[in-house]
Structures are given as C-alpha cells and as structure tokens.
C-alpha cells in the first residue's frame, strides 16, 4: 500500500504567513503528525502533494517522503492528479495534511475493510449531529453507496444527511487512475473533486468512524487549539489509566508519543513533548518543559527546562535549571538551581548545586562542582573540552578555561581562573594573593575620612 497526503491548500483562514500544515500542535507540525501516523502503517511509499509556499514545507519534511507539486490549487482531485506517477496498481490511502488526530488504529480498520470486501474504494465516513461543511454520503435504500455531494452542491434534502465524508479513503490504484480521468470541474466551486471519483467505481464501501474527533480538519486557529486540547486530553486520560498521576490535567501538556512509567507524578504547568521516555516513581514539574529526553526511575525535575538529555536513576534537577542537548546525567547526580549544561556527561554521585555553566565537559564520579563554576568552553571561534576526573573538588566561583584536563582527586581553590592542566591529587590556585592591612579602617576613621 502507498499513502498520498494532500497538503497543497492555501489555508487562508489561518491568517498566517506560513502554510497551514506547518502550524504545530504539541510541538510538532500538523503535516508531520499525519506522516508519522502513516509510517506506522508500513506503507511501501509515502507521497506528499505540496503547493502553497512548498519550499518552506519541504524543509520540515522527513527525507524519505516523495514530494509532488500542484502549482494551482484546482481541487482535491486535481491534487491527486499532480502525483499521477505515484499511483500504481498498489492500493493508495489518501490522507489530508491538516488532520493530525487520525489514528493508526482507525486507518488499519479502514484498510482491513477495504481488503476484506475487495472494494475499489473504501471511504472513512462519520455520522454527525451537525454535518454542515462536509461532503454528504448518498446511499440507496439498501444502504449501498451512490456518491458524495459537496456542501456547496447539496440540495435542501441532501443537507439533512448526517453521514459525511471524513476525507480519508483507500483506492485500488488502477481504479483511482481510471476515475480521475472522468471527473470534471462542473460544480459550484469549479474544482476537480476527488470525491467525484467513487461514483464512477463499481464496488465502493464505507467504514464509519467511531470517534469523529479523529477527522477534525484544521482550518483556523480556533480548530488548531481544539485539536491540541483533544490530543492532550486523550493522552492524559490514557496515562492516568495506566498509573501516572497528573495533578492538574488543565495545565499539563503531554504528547501522545511520550512514554511514562508507573507511579510517576506530573505536577501542574508541565509540558512534555517529542520522543521522551520517563521511568517509574519520578516527579516532574511544576513549571517544567521536557523535550526528547530519556529519563530513568526516581528522578525529580523541578521548574526546569530539559531538551535532548539523558538522565539515569535517582537524579534531581532544579529548581530553575536548564539541561541542553547532549547532557548525560548518570545515577545519583544532583543538579541544583540555576545550572546550565550542554554536551556534558556527568558521572554518578557528582553534584553541581548552584549557579553553574558546564559545556562540552566530561566530569567523573563523586566530584563536587562549587557554586558559580564556569567552563569557559568558547574562545570566540572554537569550542574546547574540559575533562574533570573523579573525586575532584572545584572551589566556588572557578573559571575553567578550556581545553583543560583536571585529574582525579585534585582540588581547586575558590575564585580560581584555571588555564593549565592539573595533575592527580594536586591543589591548584589561580587567584591574586590576599593582602591584609591591619587596623587600616580604624586609622582612616581617626583621620575623619
Ligand atoms: C474535503 C472533501 C469533503 C470532506 C472534507 C472533510 C473534497 C472535494 N471534499 O472538503 O467531502 O467532507 O474534506 O474535511 O475533497 N488540497 C490540495 N489541493 C487542492 C485543494 C485541497 O492539496 O487543490 C488539500 C488541502 O491542503 C487539504 C485537503 O486537500 O489538506 C482538503 O482540502 P479542503 O479544501 O480543506 O477540502 P474541504 O472543502 O474541507
Ligand atoms: Mg478542509
């Protein structure tokens, strides 16, 4: 089976400089939600039809999709025709790029019905209380499919029909090609409707969607917010039913791709996106953002930002810290308040508790990084590495000018600027010697100064 995703439309109602399918929910573009769902069906190929500002959309697409261009948006049938060479004898599933809530499960059921009935086309439909705006499914008294009538072309009687076209449909490739040659733009919108193809086919089936929200198409920013809300509510319910505590579902945003273990507690105002995995017995939040992180068991992250970090077990982070890309925290590490890390590996039992920047560094076990320590990793042109060994004590307010190797069991005096490597077990001081002038203050006072 192949999947073709239509995404050439203008999206005028978004009132945006950006193509509609580039708008995001849960931190991911609408089109990429559809592509990722399509991938789960293991199709032989995925094609995307682009039009409006296609160069911008192309930038955010994965490299393994085939791109087709529809230069003028003359309708959904015309969009499919623009990808004519993509359509072969294989079955083709047509999806829309602005419908991010569709699930793998539903599409599988649609495809199963298509295969089991050996249909020429199988249309995913929905029964709606308010069908306004959608194409209506016209059936005969035996319940057999006749055709689809678009809202703009309906008679008053047809307007009352509650079964609508969701837009998702599987075709036998050869039948789709035959049908596309027959459609004409002689309708009230002057468009080539893909929905006109099924009426030319002999054997058309419909499959009624159980949860209509899955077919929600995003046409404006109100629907964008609605889709985010629906996706989030479903995800949170699922997590709660599987043993995760969500203290305030109203202010918690978790993407359906995220995995969270039993007895983990998610505090309010927390956002967890991307391919994040969190273990058991963790406490995340409040006011925390976690994106694409791998987190072990019994980890606490308080009021912090974490992106593309790997965190092992029994680690604590925050409040007010920022773990950036390439951060690795091994078991029992403690990262305290106002600490920033980037491309840094911190081994077990090491602590950096206050006001610190650790970038391009590798730090051993049982080491203490004092308050205000800075790895000076950037010389204005290049980035350099800092190695800090095991059981090292870095005194407060030290500036470590990379490249640097600070060996095991060494000690750096507070306030040092370190520019040279430090051997094992050594004491290093890099600060001006203290001058003390006894009685100085009292003498000044006597002089009345
Ligand atoms: C379409 C269906 C309608 C269905 C509804 C469900 C047709 C003619 N109508 O209507 O039966 O009930 O979806 O939401 O198919 N697109 C292109 N090129 C074009 C036109 C559209 O790529 O020339 C893409 C759009 O980017 C969008 C999708 O096709 O992703 C659907 O287009 P849209 O204009 O939203 O169709 P609807 O009027 O909503
Ligand atoms: Mg639409």
């Amino acid at each position: 089976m192949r999947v073709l995703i239509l995404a050439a439309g203008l999206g005028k109602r978004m009132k945006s400089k950006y193509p509609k399918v580039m708008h995001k929910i849960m931190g991911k573009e609408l089109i990429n939600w559809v592509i990722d769902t399509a991938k789960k069906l293991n199709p032989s190929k995925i094609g995307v039809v682009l039009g409006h500002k296609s160069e911008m959309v192309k930038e955010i697409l994965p490299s393994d999709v085939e791109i087709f261009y529809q230069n003028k948006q003359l309708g959904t049938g015309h969009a499919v025709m623009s990808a004519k060479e993509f359509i072969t004898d294989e079955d083709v599933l047509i999806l829309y790029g602005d419908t991010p809530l569709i699930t793998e499960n539903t599409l599988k059921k649609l495809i199963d019905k298509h295969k089991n009935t050996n249909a020429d086309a199988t249309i995913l439909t929905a029964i709606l209380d308010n069908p306004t705006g959608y194409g209506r499914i016209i059936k005969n008294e035996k319940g057999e499919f006749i055709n689809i009538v678009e809202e703009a072309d309906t008679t008053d009687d047809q307007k009352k029909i509650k079964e609508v076209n969701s837009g998702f449909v599987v075709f036998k490739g050869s039948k789709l090609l035959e049908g596309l040659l027959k459609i004409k733009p002689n309708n009230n919108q002057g468009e080539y409707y893909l929905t006109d193809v099924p009426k030319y086919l002999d054997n058309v089936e419909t499959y009624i969607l159980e949860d209509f929200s899955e077919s929600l198409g995003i046409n404006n920013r109100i629907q964008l917010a609605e889709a985010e809300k629906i996706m989030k509510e479903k995800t949170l319910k699922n997590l709660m039913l599987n043993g995760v505590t969500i203290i305030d579902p109203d202010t918690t945003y978790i993407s359906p791709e995220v995995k969270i273990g039993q007895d983990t507690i998610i505090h309010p105002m927390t956002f967890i996106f991307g391919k994040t995995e969190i273990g058991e017995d963790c406490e995340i939040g409040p006011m925390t953002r976690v994106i694409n992180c791998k987190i072990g068991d019994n980890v606490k992250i308080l009021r912090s930002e974490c992106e593309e970090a790997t965190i092992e077990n029994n680690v604590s982070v925050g409040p007010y810290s920022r773990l950036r890309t390439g951060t690795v925290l091994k078991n029992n590490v403690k990262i305290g308040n106002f600490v920033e890390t980037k491309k840094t590996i911190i081994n077990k039992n090491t602590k950096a508790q206050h006001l610190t920047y650790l970038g391009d560094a590798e730090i051993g076990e049982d080491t203490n990084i004092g308050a205000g320590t800075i790895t000076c990793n950037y010389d204005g042109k290049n980035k350099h590495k800092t190695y800090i060994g095991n059981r090292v004590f870095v005194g407060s307010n030290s500036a470590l000018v990379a490249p640097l190797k600070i060996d095991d069991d060494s000690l750096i005096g507070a306030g040092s600027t370190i520019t040279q490597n430090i051997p094992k077990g050594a004491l290093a001081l890099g600060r001006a010697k203290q001058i003390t002038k006894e009685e100085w203050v009292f003498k000044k006072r006597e002089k009345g100064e």
Side-chain angles (χ1 to χ4, degrees):
M1 191 199 59
R2 295 183 171 203
V3 178
L4 185 64
I5 301 168
L6 308 188
L10 288 158
K12 264 190 220 137
R13 285 165 287 177
M14 294 299 284
K15 302 266 161 68
S16 177
K17 296 187 287 300
Y18 309 102
K20 174 163 77 175
V21 293
M22 286 184 72
H23 287 266
K24 291 178 183 176
I25 59 172
M26 295 278 173
K28 184 157 105 181
E29 299 85 3
L30 301 179
I31 181 102
N32 279 324
W33 281 109
V34 180
I35 291 174
D36 288 347
T37 302
K39 281 187 174 171
K40 291 185 195 150
L41 304 167
N42 291 318
S44 59
K45 278 183 176 179
I46 297 177
V48 180
V49 181
L50 300 181
H52 186 64
K53 296 197 177 175
S54 55
E55 284 311 306
M56 275 176 126
V57 184
K58 223 175 120 181
E59 291 277 301
I60 58 150
L61 295 183
S63 56
D64 54 353
V65 301
E66 271 180 50
I67 297 173
F68 300 91
Y69 296 96
Q70 184 195 22
N71 294 324
K72 264 193 183 159
Q73 280 76 60
L74 303 177
T76 47
H78 183 262
V80 176
M81 275 191 266
S82 315
K84 213 165 59 203
E85 60 271 38
F86 186 75
I87 299 155
T88 60
D89 282 344
E90 268 185 274
D91 283 347
V92 197
L93 170 65
I94 308 283
L95 300 178
Y96 292 166
D98 62 353
T99 49
L101 301 180
I102 188 69
T103 64
E104 173 199 6
N105 200 15
T106 296
L107 293 175
K108 274 190 176 148
K109 287 181 189 163
L110 174 71
I111 294 160
D112 281 350
K113 176 147 189 197
H114 181 70
K115 291 210 170 111
N116 294 339
T117 56
N118 192 28
D120 294 337
T122 307
I123 304 163
L124 189 67
T125 70
I127 313 281
L128 294 191
D129 285 342
N130 177 10
T132 310
Y134 290 88
R136 307 296 204 286
I137 304 289
I138 314 291
K139 288 180 170 171
N140 66 18
E141 60 284 354
K142 283 191 241 158
E144 292 160 343
F145 175 86
I146 300 174
N147 66 342
I148 302 173
V149 179
E150 288 304 311
E151 170 84 17
D153 308 304
T154 45
T155 63
D156 283 347
D157 269 353
Q158 287 168 336
K159 279 195 173 58
K160 292 179 197 146
I161 296 172
K162 289 195 177 341
E163 185 171 5
V164 302
N165 174 29
S166 72
F168 309 115
V169 48
V170 208
F171 287 98
K172 276 185 182 157
S174 55
K175 297 288 174 182
L176 174 58
L177 281 176
E178 277 173 31
L180 282 172
L181 296 174
K182 294 180 182 159
I183 59 171
K184 295 198 176 63
N186 53 5
N187 50 56
N188 287 337
Q189 300 191 88
E191 287 187 5
Y192 291 90
Y193 292 157
L194 178 64
T195 45
D196 277 346
V197 172
K199 72 174 174 225
Y200 295 113
L201 306 179
D202 297 328
N203 180 7
V204 177
E205 292 287 339
T206 54
Y207 176 80
I208 301 174
L209 196 57
E210 284 146 31
D211 173 2
F212 179 67
S213 69
E214 285 189 29
S215 70
L216 178 68
I218 314 287
N219 295 312
N220 58 41
R221 303 210 194 211
I222 296 172
Q223 287 168 327
L224 187 71
E226 244 170 60
E228 176 123 7
K229 191 163 182 237
I230 294 170
M231 189 181 270
K232 147 199 147 119
E233 278 174 1
K234 279 190 193 175
T235 305
L236 297 184
K237 269 187 193 150
N238 193 31
L239 286 168
M240 289 187 276
L241 292 173
N242 283 293
V244 177
T245 297
I246 314 265
I247 297 200
D248 182 13
D250 285 343
T251 62
T252 304
Y253 290 77
I254 302 179
S255 148
E257 293 168 313
V258 171
K259 294 193 174 77
I260 305 182
Q262 210 178 30
D263 294 313
T264 282
I265 300 170
I266 310 294
H267 290 277
M269 296 184 134
T270 292
F271 303 78
I272 309 175
F273 293 156
K275 298 203 170 6
T276 296
E277 282 177 38
I278 300 174
E280 299 188 359
D281 298 297
C282 294
E283 284 200 48
I284 312 291
M287 294 177 200
T288 290
R289 222 166 119 250
V290 178
I291 300 167
N292 290 323
C293 289
K294 197 165 182 314
I295 298 172
D297 297 331
N298 195 31
V299 169
K300 292 186 171 44
I301 305 178
L302 180 60
R303 288 190 178 85
S304 291
E305 297 268 337
C306 310
E307 193 160 352
E308 278 157 26
T310 304
I311 301 173
E312 290 189 351
N313 305 321
N314 312 315
V315 169
S316 67
V317 176
Y320 309 109
S321 279
R322 180 173 178 213
L323 310 184
R324 292 165 57 199
T325 302
T327 295
V328 178
L329 308 180
K330 303 278 187 167
N331 292 335
N332 308 318
V333 162
K334 283 193 165 50
I335 297 294
N337 33 253
F338 303 105
V339 175
E340 175 183 348
T341 62
K342 185 216 71 174
K343 275 197 193 159
T344 286
I345 301 170
I346 304 181
N347 282 290
K348 65 177 195 210
N349 305 327
T350 286
K351 295 174 186 156
Q353 300 268 48
H354 331 267
L355 303 156
T356 285
Y357 172 60
L358 300 168
D360 301 295
E362 204 178 315
I363 303 169
E365 300 173 3
D366 300 297
T367 281
N368 186 71
I369 307 291
T373 298
I374 307 288
T375 52
C376 311
N377 59 331
Y378 186 49
D379 61 12
K381 225 175 169 188
N382 296 305
K383 301 272 168 73
H384 301 283
K385 287 204 76 168
T386 302
Y387 294 91
I388 303 176
N390 302 320
R391 299 171 302 281
V392 172
F393 184 94
V394 179
S396 296
N397 206 25
S398 293
L400 311 177
V401 183
L404 208 54
K405 188 163 190 286
I406 299 165
D407 218 329
D408 295 348
D409 300 291
S410 57
L411 193 154
I412 297 172
S416 292
T417 297
I418 300 295
T419 55
Q420 290 163 24
N421 293 345
I422 304 174
K424 268 190 188 150
L427 164 71
L429 294 167
R431 63 189 189 209
K433 240 187 178 159
Q434 183 172 327
I435 299 167
T436 308
K437 297 185 177 177
E438 290 192 17
E439 306 278 310
W440 187 90
V441 176
F442 297 135
K443 284 175 194 159
K444 284 271 175 194
R445 279 186 195 160
E446 271 164 32
K447 285 187 192 164
E449 283 175 15

